[in-house]
Amino acid sequence: MKGSSSASTPGEYLDALEEPRRTDVRKLYDLVQETLPDQAPQMHSGMIGFGVRKYRYASGRETEWFLVGIASQKNHISLYVCAADGESYVAEGYRERLPKASFGKSCVRFKRLSDVDEDALREMLKEAERTGFGGA
């Protein structure tokens, strides 16, 4: 699977992936669930989102978005960590601890889960939950 999915549940999303990607994404899903047990998983925008809530842009426009998202892309796994402290995005603070990953402002991309430090991911997720959207 690449891009967004038409799956209606996280289980359907995971089951639709081909190996070996399915195993890595399922392990990442389990890691997020264990780390953020209060953030319910659901499908959102064709990917798995945890902690979906209303978000207000600086312009005043509102939308629903997730705190953490998981997507299986063509060439990598994307972990979206949509949290900021008002000055910087939480994910950006983990570049040094996740050297095999590439980063966007709130996205961490990697080929295999074994390429990244799972303890660093757990810390990043807990920080994201504490910080929330915040707006950078």
Side-chain angles (χ1 to χ4, degrees):
M1 178 189 319
K2 55 188 172 192
S4 68
S5 168
S6 61
S8 60
T9 67
E12 285 180 16
Y13 183 92
L14 296 168
D15 289 343
L17 299 173
E18 293 182 14
E19 289 296 352
R21 184 65 67 86
R22 179 185 310 134
T23 296
D24 272 355
V25 175
R26 189 175 297 278
K27 285 180 182 176
L28 180 59
Y29 174 86
D30 291 344
L31 183 147
V32 175
Q33 263 199 316
E34 291 165 9
T35 306
L36 304 176
D38 296 331
Q39 306 300 329
Q42 58 185 290
M43 293 305 296
H44 192 280
S45 300
M47 62 187 99
I48 301 171
F50 294 83
V52 175
R53 59 188 63 137
K54 284 195 188 257
Y55 174 76
R56 182 184 300 253
Y57 292 91
S59 67
R61 185 173 70 95
E62 286 187 359
T63 189
E64 282 193 345
W65 201 245
F66 49 77
L67 180 65
V68 173
I70 297 173
S72 177
Q73 308 293 342
K74 180 179 180 181
N75 295 314
H76 56 267
I77 299 167
S78 294
L79 176 65
Y80 296 94
V81 181
C82 304
D85 64 8
E87 295 179 22
S88 63
Y89 291 89
V90 169
E92 292 178 318
Y94 288 81
R95 285 180 190 265
E96 288 185 20
R97 294 199 47 205
L98 302 167
K100 288 189 176 182
S102 65
F103 286 77
K105 290 186 183 291
S106 61
C107 182
V108 181
R109 294 176 294 273
F110 45 91
K111 295 227 181 248
R112 291 169 296 283
L113 189 57
S114 62
D115 288 343
V116 294
D117 178 344
E118 290 183 26
D119 290 334
L121 292 181
R122 284 184 187 90
E123 288 178 31
M124 180 174 47
L125 294 168
K126 288 177 186 174
E127 183 178 346
E129 186 175 47
R130 282 192 308 274
T131 305
F133 288 120

